[in-house]
Amino acid sequence: MMDVAARAGVSQATVSLVLNGSVGARLTDATKLRVREAANALGYKLVRRAKKKSPASDKLIGFVADEVATDPWTPLIFEGAREKALEYGVTMTMAVLRGEGDLKSQLIDQMSKQPHLGLIYATMLTRQVQPPQIFFETPSVLVNCYDKRRRLPSILPGELLGGRTATEHLIRAGRRRIALINGQHGIDASRDRLRGYRQALSSADIPYDPELVYPGNWEPSAGYEGTMQLMRQDNPPDGIFCANDMMALGCYDALKELGLRIPDDISVVGFDDREVAQFMRPPLTTLVLPHYEMGAVAAELLLDIAGGLSTGHDQIKVECPLVSRNSVAFGANEENAA
């Protein structure tokens, strides 16, 4: 799978999702085609597990989350993991545990009374965690979080590559003065999306200008205020990468108030692919935050571990596909190149 991923220019997790035909995986047709062509060229044949040989056909996977109500992300992780587990006759149970201080005792009380195949621990925000000892006493996988010492395998979104992809899309559209309205300072997603933005600029020989980076907070108000501040500059941006779709909503409002047209006067790219993105006017080009796919990869990895496969303590990054809509304008030549 690593060879197929390298040849197709995608992550190993994407290869797994494509070749397993995971239902609900939001990958472009072009990405799926590249993976299948690479697999065929290398003569790779997917080894499928027989359902009857599942290591825990009569057991459960325990899914532990720190939050499910604020955003749709954790439920998407659960759904991806649940669908993958069901393919092998394994069911899942969920516990929502707020705070990590008494996590171990709550886990024991709520989940240890049943014979679990293993545990998946998912967080709403991508962040570092200190897993309680119970996670080291049974097969466990972390999703959207990681142990700094990498004592457990973890599945994370490819935020850095996503930030680079968003910025490169604007560059291919002919934009050269590209601003970033970033998320909350100190958050992993903000840090990595900024790094990807800077990498894309560097690769295109576009100097990094700190005046074009506005520190936001993920809310529409930050998108509005950031856009107003950026457009007051003597040399305002011709493209804006908003680090999430909610800030892009505010960005749209500000540009409309300023009398600027999207994408004719300025192009905008978001991140997360929230449902609202497709209904914005014009529909917002954005990147998928692949929580469903992350859940599927986590369940598959957990099944591998429970089945005796040594996977190491890998940190797997699942790529964030670009969803191209009408908020970025391409000329004929630029569009063909993209």
Side-chain angles (χ1 to χ4, degrees):
M1 260 190 207
M2 292 175 66
D3 293 336
V4 174
R7 187 181 184 97
V10 300
S11 67
Q12 188 176 341
T14 296
V15 173
S16 174
L17 291 167
V18 172
L19 298 185
N20 275 294
S22 294
V23 178
R26 293 178 289 179
L27 301 171
T28 65
D29 290 339
T31 296
K32 294 176 183 177
L33 180 61
R34 287 205 315 275
V35 170
R36 294 190 184 107
E37 288 179 343
N40 290 335
L42 292 171
Y44 176 77
K45 301 297 182 184
L46 179 66
V47 179
R48 297 187 180 276
R49 301 181 192 84
K51 185 174 179 180
K52 64 181 180 180
K53 294 182 180 179
S54 170
S57 59
D58 58 346
K59 295 184 181 179
L60 297 170
I61 290 176
F63 185 93
V64 185
D66 69 340
E67 178 68 63
V68 295
T70 309
D71 275 306
W73 310 137
T74 307
L76 280 172
I77 296 173
F78 177 80
E79 188 63 19
R82 187 183 70 87
E83 291 290 336
K84 178 58 65 176
L86 284 175
E87 292 179 20
Y88 302 106
V90 177
T91 56
M92 295 185 63
T93 182
M94 175 188 281
V96 181
L97 307 172
R98 302 176 188 276
E100 295 180 4
D102 59 349
L103 183 57
K104 179 176 179 179
S105 61
Q106 291 185 60
L107 271 169
I108 293 173
D109 291 341
Q110 295 188 40
M111 309 188 76
S112 64
K113 295 177 182 179
Q114 303 181 67
H116 284 86
L117 160 68
L119 297 172
I120 294 175
Y121 181 42
T123 59
M124 186 185 70
L125 293 176
T126 307
R127 61 188 178 90
Q128 179 182 320
V129 295
Q130 295 181 345
Q133 185 59 34
I134 192 171
F135 284 101
F136 302 99
E137 297 169 355
T138 187
S140 298
V141 177
L142 306 177
V143 186
N144 209 38
C145 57
Y146 57 93
D147 169 31
K148 184 177 182 180
R149 293 163 59 187
R150 293 204 180 187
R151 294 168 293 172
L152 293 172
S154 56
I155 315 296
L156 300 168
E159 308 272 16
L160 188 152
L161 180 58
R164 179 167 182 153
T165 298
T167 310
E168 287 175 342
H169 192 67
L170 289 165
I171 293 171
R172 286 196 299 270
R175 306 303 179 178
R176 287 297 177 270
R177 189 156 173 81
I178 299 169
L180 167 64
I181 300 178
N182 206 3
Q184 183 179 348
H185 179 72
I187 300 296
D188 285 35
S190 303
R191 179 199 65 210
D192 287 347
R193 293 175 195 185
L194 173 61
R195 288 171 62 197
Y197 162 81
R198 296 190 65 166
Q199 283 186 7
L201 294 178
S202 177
S203 296
D205 294 324
I206 299 175
Y208 170 70
D209 183 354
E211 295 299 318
L212 287 175
V213 177
Y214 179 85
N217 61 5
W218 308 118
E219 299 297 330
S221 58
Y224 177 88
E225 294 162 5
T227 300
M228 284 297 194
Q229 180 171 311
L230 290 164
M231 300 310 295
R232 291 191 195 104
Q233 296 184 13
D234 293 336
N235 185 15
D238 57 5
I240 299 178
F241 167 31
C242 296
N244 79 338
D245 294 345
M246 299 307 292
M247 291 191 295
L249 279 171
C251 174
Y252 267 46
D253 287 344
L255 293 174
K256 182 178 180 180
E257 190 172 312
L258 293 169
L260 296 172
R261 298 167 300 167
I262 306 169
D264 300 322
D265 300 319
I266 186 167
S267 293
V268 180
V269 174
F271 207 115
D272 293 351
D273 194 30
R274 285 179 179 261
E275 187 175 0
V276 69
Q278 61 186 306
F279 300 113
M280 294 167 67
R281 292 293 177 264
L284 177 66
T285 293
T286 185
L287 285 95
V288 174
L289 201 53
H291 284 100
Y292 180 95
E293 292 79 2
M294 289 159 58
V297 172
E300 188 164 24
L301 182 59
L302 192 58
L303 287 163
D304 284 342
I305 296 170
L309 180 65
S310 177
T311 61
H313 298 158
D314 298 331
Q315 188 175 92
I316 298 174
K317 298 290 184 74
V318 181
E319 66 182 298
C320 305
L322 178 79
V323 181
S324 181
R325 297 193 179 104
N326 297 336
S327 63
V328 178
F330 286 89
N333 294 334
E334 292 160 348
E335 189 168 16
N336 290 332

